[in-house]
PDB file of all heavy atoms in Angstrom:
ATOM      1  N   MET U   1      -6.919 -13.504  -6.989  1.00  0.00           N
ATOM      2  CA  MET U   1      -5.750 -13.244  -7.799  1.00  0.00           C
ATOM      3  C   MET U   1      -4.451 -13.680  -7.124  1.00  0.00           C
ATOM      4  O   MET U   1      -3.546 -14.134  -7.778  1.00  0.00           O
ATOM      5  CB  MET U   1      -5.634 -11.742  -8.118  1.00  0.00           C
ATOM      6  CG  MET U   1      -6.657 -11.239  -9.055  1.00  0.00           C
ATOM      7  SD  MET U   1      -6.246 -11.864 -10.682  1.00  0.00           S
ATOM      8  CE  MET U   1      -7.642 -11.376 -11.578  1.00  0.00           C
ATOM      9  N   MET U  26       4.216   2.446 -12.320  1.00  0.00           N
ATOM     10  CA  MET U  26       4.115   1.000 -12.122  1.00  0.00           C
ATOM     11  C   MET U  26       5.459   0.297 -12.255  1.00  0.00           C
ATOM     12  O   MET U  26       5.774  -0.595 -11.461  1.00  0.00           O
ATOM     13  CB  MET U  26       3.111   0.378 -13.091  1.00  0.00           C
ATOM     14  CG  MET U  26       1.678   0.510 -12.644  1.00  0.00           C
ATOM     15  SD  MET U  26       1.346  -0.385 -11.116  1.00  0.00           S
ATOM     16  CE  MET U  26       1.617  -2.049 -11.647  1.00  0.00           C
ATOM     17  N   LEU U  52       2.677 -12.993 -11.704  1.00  0.00           N
ATOM     18  CA  LEU U  52       1.429 -12.563 -12.329  1.00  0.00           C
ATOM     19  C   LEU U  52       1.706 -12.017 -13.728  1.00  0.00           C
ATOM     20  O   LEU U  52       2.741 -11.387 -13.959  1.00  0.00           O
ATOM     21  CB  LEU U  52       0.769 -11.455 -11.504  1.00  0.00           C
ATOM     22  CG  LEU U  52       0.205 -11.842 -10.140  1.00  0.00           C
ATOM     23  CD1 LEU U  52      -0.254 -10.592  -9.406  1.00  0.00           C
ATOM     24  CD2 LEU U  52      -0.933 -12.830 -10.282  1.00  0.00           C
ATOM     25  N   PRO U  53       0.778 -12.224 -14.655  1.00  0.00           N
ATOM     26  CA  PRO U  53       0.927 -11.596 -15.969  1.00  0.00           C
ATOM     27  C   PRO U  53       0.936 -10.071 -15.824  1.00  0.00           C
ATOM     28  O   PRO U  53       0.306  -9.524 -14.911  1.00  0.00           O
ATOM     29  CB  PRO U  53      -0.315 -12.053 -16.733  1.00  0.00           C
ATOM     30  CG  PRO U  53      -0.820 -13.241 -15.986  1.00  0.00           C
ATOM     31  CD  PRO U  53      -0.404 -13.057 -14.558  1.00  0.00           C
ATOM     32  N   SER U  54       1.627  -9.395 -16.704  1.00  0.00           N
ATOM     33  CA  SER U  54       1.770  -7.943 -16.628  1.00  0.00           C
ATOM     34  C   SER U  54       0.422  -7.230 -16.556  1.00  0.00           C
ATOM     35  O   SER U  54       0.246  -6.296 -15.779  1.00  0.00           O
ATOM     36  CB  SER U  54       2.561  -7.443 -17.832  1.00  0.00           C
ATOM     37  OG  SER U  54       2.692  -6.055 -17.783  1.00  0.00           O
ATOM     38  N   ALA U  55      -0.539  -7.658 -17.346  1.00  0.00           N
ATOM     39  CA  ALA U  55      -1.855  -7.006 -17.360  1.00  0.00           C
ATOM     40  C   ALA U  55      -2.551  -7.150 -16.012  1.00  0.00           C
ATOM     41  O   ALA U  55      -3.228  -6.228 -15.541  1.00  0.00           O
ATOM     42  CB  ALA U  55      -2.724  -7.587 -18.470  1.00  0.00           C
ATOM     43  N   THR U  56      -2.381  -8.295 -15.368  1.00  0.00           N
ATOM     44  CA  THR U  56      -2.985  -8.521 -14.055  1.00  0.00           C
ATOM     45  C   THR U  56      -2.313  -7.647 -13.006  1.00  0.00           C
ATOM     46  O   THR U  56      -2.985  -7.035 -12.161  1.00  0.00           O
ATOM     47  CB  THR U  56      -2.879 -10.005 -13.652  1.00  0.00           C
ATOM     48  OG1 THR U  56      -3.518 -10.793 -14.657  1.00  0.00           O
ATOM     49  CG2 THR U  56      -3.530 -10.262 -12.312  1.00  0.00           C
ATOM     50  N   ARG U  57      -0.987  -7.562 -13.053  1.00  0.00           N
ATOM     51  CA  ARG U  57      -0.269  -6.677 -12.116  1.00  0.00           C
ATOM     52  C   ARG U  57      -0.749  -5.242 -12.282  1.00  0.00           C
ATOM     53  O   ARG U  57      -0.983  -4.536 -11.307  1.00  0.00           O
ATOM     54  CB  ARG U  57       1.237  -6.749 -12.353  1.00  0.00           C
ATOM     55  CG  ARG U  57       1.876  -7.935 -11.730  1.00  0.00           C
ATOM     56  CD  ARG U  57       3.374  -7.767 -11.610  1.00  0.00           C
ATOM     57  NE  ARG U  57       4.030  -7.420 -12.845  1.00  0.00           N
ATOM     58  CZ  ARG U  57       4.878  -8.193 -13.496  1.00  0.00           C
ATOM     59  NH1 ARG U  57       5.181  -9.383 -13.020  1.00  0.00           N
ATOM     60  NH2 ARG U  57       5.425  -7.803 -14.610  1.00  0.00           N
ATOM     61  N   GLN U  58      -0.896  -4.820 -13.510  1.00  0.00           N
ATOM     62  CA  GLN U  58      -1.350  -3.449 -13.787  1.00  0.00           C
ATOM     63  C   GLN U  58      -2.728  -3.221 -13.166  1.00  0.00           C
ATOM     64  O   GLN U  58      -2.958  -2.212 -12.509  1.00  0.00           O
ATOM     65  CB  GLN U  58      -1.389  -3.210 -15.299  1.00  0.00           C
ATOM     66  CG  GLN U  58      -1.789  -1.818 -15.707  1.00  0.00           C
ATOM     67  CD  GLN U  58      -0.709  -0.779 -15.476  1.00  0.00           C
ATOM     68  OE1 GLN U  58       0.471  -1.106 -15.378  1.00  0.00           O
ATOM     69  NE2 GLN U  58      -1.096   0.472 -15.378  1.00  0.00           N
ATOM     70  N   ARG U  59      -3.625  -4.165 -13.359  1.00  0.00           N
ATOM     71  CA  ARG U  59      -4.985  -4.022 -12.843  1.00  0.00           C
ATOM     72  C   ARG U  59      -5.004  -3.996 -11.317  1.00  0.00           C
ATOM     73  O   ARG U  59      -5.747  -3.237 -10.709  1.00  0.00           O
ATOM     74  CB  ARG U  59      -5.865  -5.162 -13.374  1.00  0.00           C
ATOM     75  CG  ARG U  59      -7.337  -4.882 -13.177  1.00  0.00           C
ATOM     76  CD  ARG U  59      -8.227  -5.897 -13.873  1.00  0.00           C
ATOM     77  NE  ARG U  59      -8.337  -7.096 -13.051  1.00  0.00           N
ATOM     78  CZ  ARG U  59      -7.991  -8.313 -13.436  1.00  0.00           C
ATOM     79  NH1 ARG U  59      -7.513  -8.523 -14.631  1.00  0.00           N
ATOM     80  NH2 ARG U  59      -8.130  -9.334 -12.623  1.00  0.00           N
ATOM     81  N   LEU U  60      -4.166  -4.808 -10.693  1.00  0.00           N
ATOM     82  CA  LEU U  60      -4.164  -4.897  -9.233  1.00  0.00           C
ATOM     83  C   LEU U  60      -3.417  -3.761  -8.541  1.00  0.00           C
ATOM     84  O   LEU U  60      -3.775  -3.373  -7.432  1.00  0.00           O
ATOM     85  CB  LEU U  60      -3.536  -6.231  -8.796  1.00  0.00           C
ATOM     86  CG  LEU U  60      -4.338  -7.477  -9.060  1.00  0.00           C
ATOM     87  CD1 LEU U  60      -3.516  -8.712  -8.714  1.00  0.00           C
ATOM     88  CD2 LEU U  60      -5.635  -7.460  -8.264  1.00  0.00           C
ATOM     89  N   PHE U  61      -2.382  -3.235  -9.166  1.00  0.00           N
ATOM     90  CA  PHE U  61      -1.490  -2.327  -8.450  1.00  0.00           C
ATOM     91  C   PHE U  61      -1.405  -0.913  -9.008  1.00  0.00           C
ATOM     92  O   PHE U  61      -0.645  -0.101  -8.495  1.00  0.00           O
ATOM     93  CB  PHE U  61      -0.085  -2.940  -8.375  1.00  0.00           C
ATOM     94  CG  PHE U  61      -0.069  -4.226  -7.627  1.00  0.00           C
ATOM     95  CD1 PHE U  61       0.038  -5.428  -8.303  1.00  0.00           C
ATOM     96  CD2 PHE U  61      -0.191  -4.249  -6.248  1.00  0.00           C
ATOM     97  CE1 PHE U  61       0.037  -6.629  -7.613  1.00  0.00           C
ATOM     98  CE2 PHE U  61      -0.199  -5.451  -5.556  1.00  0.00           C
ATOM     99  CZ  PHE U  61      -0.086  -6.645  -6.234  1.00  0.00           C
ATOM    100  N   ALA U  62      -2.163  -0.583 -10.037  1.00  0.00           N
ATOM    101  CA  ALA U  62      -2.069   0.749 -10.638  1.00  0.00           C
ATOM    102  C   ALA U  62      -2.875   1.795  -9.879  1.00  0.00           C
ATOM    103  O   ALA U  62      -2.810   2.978 -10.187  1.00  0.00           O
ATOM    104  CB  ALA U  62      -2.507   0.712 -12.093  1.00  0.00           C
ATOM    105  N   THR U  63      -3.628   1.381  -8.882  1.00  0.00           N
ATOM    106  CA  THR U  63      -4.403   2.310  -8.065  1.00  0.00           C
ATOM    107  C   THR U  63      -4.057   2.072  -6.607  1.00  0.00           C
ATOM    108  O   THR U  63      -3.917   0.930  -6.178  1.00  0.00           O
ATOM    109  CB  THR U  63      -5.918   2.101  -8.278  1.00  0.00           C
ATOM    110  OG1 THR U  63      -6.208   2.225  -9.669  1.00  0.00           O
ATOM    111  CG2 THR U  63      -6.739   3.112  -7.497  1.00  0.00           C
ATOM    112  N   GLU U  64      -3.920   3.158  -5.855  1.00  0.00           N
ATOM    113  CA  GLU U  64      -3.707   3.056  -4.413  1.00  0.00           C
ATOM    114  C   GLU U  64      -4.824   3.820  -3.717  1.00  0.00           C
ATOM    115  O   GLU U  64      -5.304   4.837  -4.217  1.00  0.00           O
ATOM    116  CB  GLU U  64      -2.337   3.609  -4.025  1.00  0.00           C
ATOM    117  CG  GLU U  64      -1.214   2.748  -4.557  1.00  0.00           C
ATOM    118  CD  GLU U  64       0.165   3.196  -4.106  1.00  0.00           C
ATOM    119  OE1 GLU U  64       0.270   4.148  -3.297  1.00  0.00           O
ATOM    120  OE2 GLU U  64       1.147   2.587  -4.567  1.00  0.00           O
ATOM    121  N   TRP U  65      -5.245   3.309  -2.566  1.00  0.00           N
ATOM    122  CA  TRP U  65      -6.348   3.885  -1.820  1.00  0.00           C
ATOM    123  C   TRP U  65      -5.861   4.309  -0.445  1.00  0.00           C
ATOM    124  O   TRP U  65      -5.058   3.615   0.179  1.00  0.00           O
ATOM    125  CB  TRP U  65      -7.467   2.861  -1.678  1.00  0.00           C
ATOM    126  CG  TRP U  65      -8.028   2.428  -2.992  1.00  0.00           C
ATOM    127  CD1 TRP U  65      -9.090   2.980  -3.640  1.00  0.00           C
ATOM    128  CD2 TRP U  65      -7.581   1.357  -3.820  1.00  0.00           C
ATOM    129  NE1 TRP U  65      -9.319   2.318  -4.826  1.00  0.00           N
ATOM    130  CE2 TRP U  65      -8.396   1.301  -4.961  1.00  0.00           C
ATOM    131  CE3 TRP U  65      -6.541   0.428  -3.718  1.00  0.00           C
ATOM    132  CZ2 TRP U  65      -8.238   0.383  -5.972  1.00  0.00           C
ATOM    133  CZ3 TRP U  65      -6.366  -0.493  -4.728  1.00  0.00           C
ATOM    134  CH2 TRP U  65      -7.213  -0.516  -5.843  1.00  0.00           C
TER     135      TRP U  65
END
Side-chain angles (χ1 to χ4, degrees):
M1 290 287 172
M26 278 296 295
L52 291 173
S54 179
T56 302
R57 280 198 307 247
Q58 182 74 21
R59 195 172 81 239
L60 289 174
F61 298 105
T63 304
E64 292 185 4
W65 299 268

